[in-house]
Structures are given as structure tokens and as C-alpha cells.
Amino acid sequence: MGHAGMDDDFTTIERLVRDDYENREMAEQERNDFDEPDDLPPSDADPTSKDDLDNGNAAENEAEPSWDALSPEEQEAIMEDVEAADRHSTDTNGQAQRNKDQGLGRTGPRLDDAALHGLAGRIVKGIDPYTEADPAATLTNFLTAFGNCINAAPHAIVLHSNHPARLFIVQVGVSSKGRKGTGWSPIRHIFSTVDPGWAKDRIKTGLSSGEGVIYVVRDALYKQEPIKGHKGKVEGYQQVLKEEAVEDKRLMIIEEEFASVLNVMNRVGNTLSPVIRQGWDGGTLSTLVRNNPLAATNPHISIVGHITKDELLARLDDTSKANGFANRFLWVWVERSKLLPDAPPIPDHILEPLIDQLRKTIEFARKTNALTRDECASALWHEVYADLSAGQQGLLGAVLSRAEAQVLRLSVAYALLDLSVTIRRDHIQAALALWKYCEEGTVKLSRPLYSSDSAGRN
């Protein structure tokens, strides 16, 4: 069930991005004009005065057709040029060349355009000219935040298990210069505008123990205390409320030092790994202690972590690779996309239409329950399912062994962002494109460590 109005909004956003790009180009040209030396000798080869040139340009501009007068093909060609220029931050000062000179040539996988589907893609493209973050980081930050903000009500069903748009991601930078944190800033700003209560109260940092995670989404906590009668004799016991329940079970965890999480998990007796695994699966979280056990019924937890490649390879042990911890995460290769020494805030006229669309989409998603695939989507799912299930051998295969579930959850997110209760073929294609990016990055990150490892799937 799509909404035609969003196509009109998309056209508006395209125009705004185009106009903003053109305004920046004009401003840059004006600065270059002012910087020209006054003492340059006139050219004998070209006696035309600057005024004559300005008048000629004005006449030429007046003769150019308006945007609405262009054919759809001409409009599309112009937008492709503008978007390509924005994506690569090409400008009159040679920014792209400086990126290359400073070693910013891309070394990892490239994100297929199919992953930039729908509202998610429009938001990434709207943000990208103003950030040094990798578009893959912006995209996965947005999808994870969206999946948590809407809650766990909308979901796909596999047998008796629900799969909402609940994602765990870790963004892996080749170095500390990967701009992992930069990609979160505009996404948080957008969601702070759309749902300020969620952004203020349900985004947390600091993963140190399983008990700590449960406490933030806890059920009411009671303590058993004795009932004393005459002369202090214990006549029975009663449950006394010690902690009120947390009513909002959504929890978005941002862990910018994910290496510390891996260190903590290696400590004997730490419960963080099993709690995280259960949190991805859904259901009830609890601690197995005799006195004052903590529990959280049906929490909706999402995680965004940041780590460098060296930290990941040094600290993710074989147990976490093989026991189902690692394969509950999407491992996202991220690189600094460009150099922006004077990055301006994203203009309101770019963000406001996107925020308005997102607000409507969240309202729609919260009223949705089970999603199903249509006939074309089912046909594609049957085509790719065997390959997704086959995976790879060894510990690397164990890390990537939840491909089917990850793609399914991503397809739920993409469908909801299209205001659809039906998962269509293009939603699966978008999910597959993002999964392929994560898979290629994981393979590249792990070489040659897994070449001779072996482990079963869990």
C-alpha cells in the first residue's frame, strides 16, 4: 500500500537539493571573481569586456528553458549530475583531488544504489553533501534508529518467531579516521525533531553488563520481606515494590567504544553476551539469581557500535564468532567519504521535507502489525534463499550465518519506509544490496584470519 504523495515530496526534495547545490556553486564563483587580481593586463585575444560577458551570460540564462519545461529524461540527467557531484563533494576548489591527495581513495566495498531505496535513500542523499561520514554509516544508523523508534509491533513472521525491524550494527573503520561517529549526528538530530521523547529518554550509552541492559528496560522489581508479628516473630513474607517498571521498552544503545564491550564480555561470569543475543531474538530477559532477580518482558533493543578494524580483529574471540553473538550484528565497513573542513549545518529547507515524511512514516508503522510478501517478492525470496542459507565455511561462515534473518528484517524496514504493509520485490532487493555490502566488508575485514578456521553454525 504505497502513497503517491511521497513521490511529489521526493520531487520537492530533489529540487531543493538541486537548488542548494546551484546556490553553493554560484557563491563559490562569486568568491573566485572577487579574488581575481585587479592588475591583470587585458587580453589582446579577447577584447570583450567583463560587462559584455555578464550581459551575454544574462541573455543566455534568460534563454534557458525552465525546469518544468525540460523533459523527464533531461530532468533525470540533470539530477544524476547534481547527485553525483554532491556525493563526491566536487567543487571549484578541487575538493575531490584533495581527498585523493590525502589518501581518501576508497579501499572497501561500494554500496549499491539499490540499498538507497525509498525514504532511507532520500535521507542519506540529503545528508551526504554535508557530512564526511560514509553513506553506508548514515544509512545503517537511520535504519537502526527507525526500527527502534517505531517499536516491535510491525514484523514479519517465520514459523512462530517475529522479526521486527530490530537491528544490531557495528560500524568498522579501517582506522580511527573512519568518521564512524559523524554519521550518527544528523540522524539523531532528525529523530530528535520527530520524536523528542524517544531521543531524550530511550537513547543510552555504555554496555558493561547484562544486568545493566535489563535494568534500563526492567519490569517492576519486588523484594521479598518478612512480615513480623508479636515480638518480632516472622509470620510470613510479602512482596514489596522496590523499583517501578519502565513502561517504554524501547532502548537504542549507541556504543562508540565497542572494543570495550568485547573486553568486558571476555570476563568470567559477565552476562552481557547472552543478554545481547536474547535481546536480538526478543522475548523476556532475566537474570538467574536467587534474590531480587531482574526481568524485562518483551524489550525492543537496538545497538549501534563503533570499532576500528584492528580492535575488532584483536578482541572478537572465537567464542563470540561461533556462539551466535557475532552473527546477530551487521558489520558495516565505513570510510571517511570526503574532506569538509568547513562543513555547514544541513539547511532546514533540505531537512524539513524529509522530517515531515519520516514523521508520517513512523505514525504509519506504529499502527502496523504483521507484514507479508507479495507474489513477486516471494518469487525473488525463493530464488535467493538457498544462497543466503548456504553461507560460508569456518568461523567466517559462523559470523555471516544469519543472512536470511538479517535480510528479512531489513526488508521489513524498507517496506515500512514506503508506507507499505506488503514486502515487495524492491524491498527485498534493497535489503539484499545492503546485506551484500556488509558481507563483502566482513570478508575483507577478516582475511586471512579465517582461512583455516572451522566452526559450526549457531
Side-chain angles (χ1 to χ4, degrees):
M1 182 176 67
H3 283 232
M6 294 195 73
D7 294 334
D8 296 335
D9 291 339
F10 188 19
T11 301
T12 300
I13 293 165
E14 284 182 325
R15 188 181 68 251
L16 292 172
V17 171
R18 184 191 69 245
D19 291 346
D20 183 67
Y21 173 78
E22 292 173 348
N23 289 338
R24 286 187 283 131
E25 289 290 285
M26 292 173 61
E28 185 60 45
Q29 185 58 52
E30 290 175 359
R31 285 194 294 271
N32 290 342
D33 291 342
F34 282 123
D35 290 340
E36 291 179 357
D38 295 331
D39 56 352
L40 284 177
S43 171
D44 293 335
D46 186 6
T48 307
S49 70
K50 188 175 185 300
D51 290 339
D52 291 337
L53 287 174
D54 290 340
N55 293 334
N57 289 337
E60 182 180 346
N61 291 336
E62 290 176 2
E64 291 179 354
S66 67
W67 177 260
D68 293 336
L70 296 175
S71 68
E73 292 77 12
E74 291 171 323
Q75 292 179 356
E76 182 178 357
I78 292 173
M79 281 308 304
E80 288 178 353
D81 290 341
V82 171
E83 289 177 1
D86 277 339
R87 273 197 299 273
H88 299 289
S89 193
T90 302
D91 59 36
T92 55
N93 290 325
Q95 184 69 69
Q97 184 60 45
R98 286 203 300 276
N99 291 355
K100 183 177 180 181
D101 293 342
Q102 297 195 27
L104 291 182
R106 191 163 188 87
T107 61
R110 294 186 178 276
L111 185 65
D112 192 288
D113 284 345
L116 299 176
H117 174 84
L119 180 57
R122 296 196 284 276
I123 286 178
V124 172
K125 291 176 182 178
I127 291 172
D128 189 60
Y130 306 93
T131 179
E132 295 182 344
D134 195 316
T138 306
L139 175 63
T140 51
N141 283 332
F142 173 75
L143 291 173
T144 307
F146 173 75
N148 190 264
C149 187
I150 61 176
N151 69 44
H155 61 277
I157 300 174
V158 177
L159 198 57
H160 298 290
S161 299
N162 291 351
H163 285 270
R166 179 165 56 234
L167 302 174
F168 289 3
I169 70 167
V170 176
Q171 296 170 2
V172 187
V174 179
S175 70
S176 60
K177 299 292 187 180
R179 288 302 187 263
K180 301 176 290 296
T182 306
W184 173 242
S185 175
I187 298 303
R188 176 155 192 163
H189 173 73
I190 288 173
F191 278 92
S192 296
T193 304
V194 174
D195 190 341
W198 174 81
K200 177 178 179 292
D201 298 328
R202 306 316 303 156
I203 299 177
K204 306 291 184 182
T205 60
L207 279 171
S208 58
S209 70
E211 292 81 3
V213 173
I214 297 173
Y215 183 80
V216 180
V217 287
R218 67 187 179 278
D219 297 339
L221 179 60
Y222 292 89
K223 182 178 181 181
Q224 182 172 274
E225 293 186 350
I227 301 173
K228 296 182 179 180
H230 183 64
K231 294 184 178 181
K233 181 180 180 180
V234 176
E235 298 179 347
Y237 292 88
Q238 61 183 347
Q239 296 291 323
V240 178
L241 178 65
K242 292 297 183 181
E243 296 274 5
E244 296 281 354
V246 175
E247 297 298 328
D248 191 341
K249 298 295 184 178
R250 298 173 299 171
L251 175 60
M252 177 82 181
I253 300 173
I254 306 296
E255 183 50 73
E256 296 186 350
E257 298 295 335
F258 200 76
S260 66
V261 175
L262 300 181
N263 282 341
V264 166
M265 284 169 35
N266 291 330
R267 298 174 185 169
V268 176
N270 188 276
T271 59
L272 188 55
S273 177
V275 167
I276 287 177
R277 282 179 277 153
Q278 185 61 47
W280 188 90
D281 296 344
T284 298
L285 304 179
S286 62
T287 55
L288 298 177
V289 294
R290 180 176 180 182
N291 296 319
N292 307 322
L294 280 170
T297 303
N298 296 322
H300 185 50
I301 300 172
S302 306
I303 299 175
V304 172
H306 301 158
I307 196 169
T308 67
K309 175 184 176 180
D310 290 343
E311 289 172 334
L312 175 65
L313 297 181
R315 304 186 189 189
L316 184 65
D317 62 20
D318 287 355
T319 300
S320 296
K321 297 167 192 169
N323 70 1
F325 172 85
N327 64 33
R328 285 171 170 83
F329 285 83
L330 292 170
W331 302 91
V332 185
W333 179 292
V334 297
E335 299 181 32
R336 192 178 195 171
S337 65
K338 62 184 77 70
L339 292 176
L340 296 175
D342 298 309
I346 304 172
D348 289 342
H349 67 268
I350 297 294
L351 285 182
E352 287 174 359
L354 297 170
I355 289 172
D356 184 58
Q357 288 183 42
L358 180 58
R359 184 178 290 109
K360 295 174 183 176
T361 303
I362 289 175
E363 291 174 0
F364 166 83
R366 288 173 177 169
K367 299 175 183 178
T368 303
N369 291 305
L371 284 78
T372 56
R373 289 183 289 270
D374 66 16
E375 186 175 346
C376 290
S378 293
L380 176 58
W381 185 248
H382 282 231
E383 289 176 19
V384 302
Y385 188 79
D387 288 340
L388 290 174
S389 301
Q392 302 188 42
Q393 298 298 315
L395 284 175
L396 177 60
V399 172
L400 297 170
S401 64
R402 290 187 190 269
E404 316 97 295
Q406 299 285 13
V407 171
L408 179 60
R409 292 187 178 200
L410 289 170
S411 70
V412 169
Y414 280 114
L416 294 170
L417 287 164
D418 270 353
L419 300 175
S420 176
V421 297
T422 301
I423 300 172
R424 302 193 306 263
R425 186 181 182 89
D426 51 351
H427 303 143
I428 294 181
Q429 289 172 328
L432 287 169
L434 182 51
W435 167 255
K436 180 181 178 183
Y437 177 87
C438 295
E439 182 181 42
E440 290 178 353
T442 303
V443 171
K444 187 174 179 67
L445 284 166
S446 60
R447 287 174 180 164
L449 297 185
Y450 300 127
S451 57
S452 61
D453 288 338
S454 61
R457 289 165 59 120
N458 188 3

